[in-house]
Amino acid sequence: MSYIKKNKSLLITLLAITTGLVMGSGSINAAESDTPEAAEPAPPPFIKAPVVHTKYTKDCKVLGLTKEPKDATRRTFALEPGNFKRMEKASEAMSAELYDEALVILNELVIRAESRPYDLAKAKEYLGYVYLSKNQYEKAIGYFREVIDTKILPVRNEQSLIRNVAGLYLAIEPPQPDKAMGIINAWFETAVNPKPNDYVLLGQAAVLGKMYDRAICPIRMAIILSDRPKNSWYDILVAAHFELDDFEGAAVVARERLLSFPEE
């Protein structure tokens, strides 16, 4: 199942870091000098500004659960050996970007696995990933939602699919923020200790839907829960207050951003 392991993230950010040696004037260059090169100064530590609440953020609270509920554990299943081999072939085809070949294998498996709910769910999950790789997001969403509705996958796998679907609703044209918010809100009901990026996803969906009052608390909580929030999160928070004509609140958040990122 190597294909899925390599494609858990929908977005990969590549950071190019360029460093250079600044030489002072003199006749001895770095290669000739016996003096060790001076290490570049370490970047200053990030200091997050204290949170000052606005009328829209004063009642914001943490979402999700603090620990796994007692009934969170589901029965575990194993693929029937023949179906497992077919899944492996489909995975190999997907890794080789032979998506049409993978579709043939998986569609045959859907028919073969009709009487085995777990095997059927895994086949449909993989169909979703094939269509995701083909940039056919709506088909991918359809298969992922079918799998989610079965409630047969391990809870963590199911929650990962729910987050994927929420993100896809925002990626399709035109975006469907209402559906994204509906499914991510449902995800928060069972999520254990959601991470800041989870809150940001909910906030972004609200912004796309121009529901600025519903965007503020998720973004504020993302900032509170993160040791190093992104400056763009503050920008969203400022803009949301501005759209709601809360200019005082926008100024409060803008000042907080300036204190957190004084170099920008």
Side-chain angles (χ1 to χ4, degrees), residues 73-90:
T73 304
R74 292 177 179 170
R75 176 186 171 188
T76 56
F77 295 89
L79 292 167
E80 186 269 331
N83 291 342
F84 177 83
K85 290 180 180 179
R86 289 171 175 81
M87 293 285 287
E88 284 287 286
K89 288 183 179 179

Side-chain angles (χ1 to χ4, degrees), residues 146-161:
E146 282 189 51
V147 176
I148 292 166
D149 290 343
T150 65
K151 301 292 182 184
I152 201 170
L153 294 185
V155 172
R156 289 190 178 180
N157 290 23
E158 181 183 289
Q159 290 180 337
S160 177
L161 275 186

Side-chain angles (χ1 to χ4, degrees), residues 13-246:
T13 303
L14 299 179
L15 299 178
I17 302 174
T18 304
T19 58
L21 176 64
V22 179
M23 300 294 297
S25 59
S27 59
I28 301 177
N29 61 33
E32 296 169 339
S33 174
D34 293 328
T35 304
E37 293 181 7
E40 290 190 6
F46 178 79
I47 301 176
K48 185 168 66 173
V51 170
V52 178
H53 283 299
T54 69
K55 67 180 182 180
Y56 286 104
T57 66
K58 60 185 178 63
D59 295 322
C60 295
K61 59 184 180 180
V62 173
L63 301 176
L65 307 175
T66 57
K67 60 181 180 180
E68 293 277 0
K70 293 180 180 179
D71 59 350
T73 304
R74 292 177 179 170
R75 176 186 171 188
T76 56
F77 295 89
L79 292 167
E80 186 269 331
N83 291 342
F84 177 83
K85 290 180 180 179
R86 289 171 175 81
M87 293 285 287
E88 284 287 286
K89 288 183 179 179
S91 177
E92 291 170 4
M94 293 160 71
S95 295
E97 299 184 2
L98 301 173
Y99 301 125
D100 290 337
E101 180 179 325
L103 286 175
V104 171
I105 297 170
L106 292 168
N107 281 319
E108 290 177 353
L109 181 55
V110 165
I111 297 172
R112 174 185 172 89
E114 188 174 3
S115 62
R116 295 182 62 87
Y118 178 75
D119 295 28
L120 180 60
K122 293 300 291 183
K124 290 184 176 181
E125 180 188 4
Y126 268 55
L127 280 168
Y129 281 113
V130 173
Y131 283 114
L132 180 61
S133 299
K134 290 166 69 71
N135 296 324
Q136 296 183 30
Y137 297 150
E138 293 192 14
K139 285 190 174 181
I141 288 171
Y143 279 109
F144 288 151
R145 295 214 67 158
E146 282 189 51
V147 176
I148 292 166
D149 290 343
T150 65
K151 301 292 182 184
I152 201 170
L153 294 185
V155 172
R156 289 190 178 180
N157 290 23
E158 181 183 289
Q159 290 180 337
S160 177
L161 275 186
I162 291 172
R163 292 182 73 260
N164 284 349
V165 170
L168 287 172
Y169 275 131
L170 301 182
I172 60 177
E173 290 293 341
Q176 298 182 29
D178 287 343
K179 290 184 177 179
M181 289 186 69
I183 196 167
I184 197 67
N185 275 320
W187 177 86
F188 269 110
E189 291 177 6
T190 58
V192 179
N193 297 322
K195 294 180 171 56
N197 282 337
D198 301 322
Y199 289 88
V200 172
L201 181 61
L202 179 58
Q204 288 174 331
V207 168
L208 279 174
K210 298 184 177 180
M211 294 173 278
Y212 302 110
D213 57 327
R214 297 174 65 182
I216 286 176
C217 276
I219 300 299
R220 170 50 83 194
M221 292 310 306
I223 292 171
I224 290 173
L225 295 172
S226 175
D227 292 331
R228 195 180 183 100
K230 296 182 179 180
N231 53 11
S232 60
W233 300 355
Y234 290 96
D235 293 339
I236 295 172
L237 202 54
V238 171
H241 281 83
F242 189 85
E243 290 290 344
L244 294 169
D245 294 331
D246 182 9

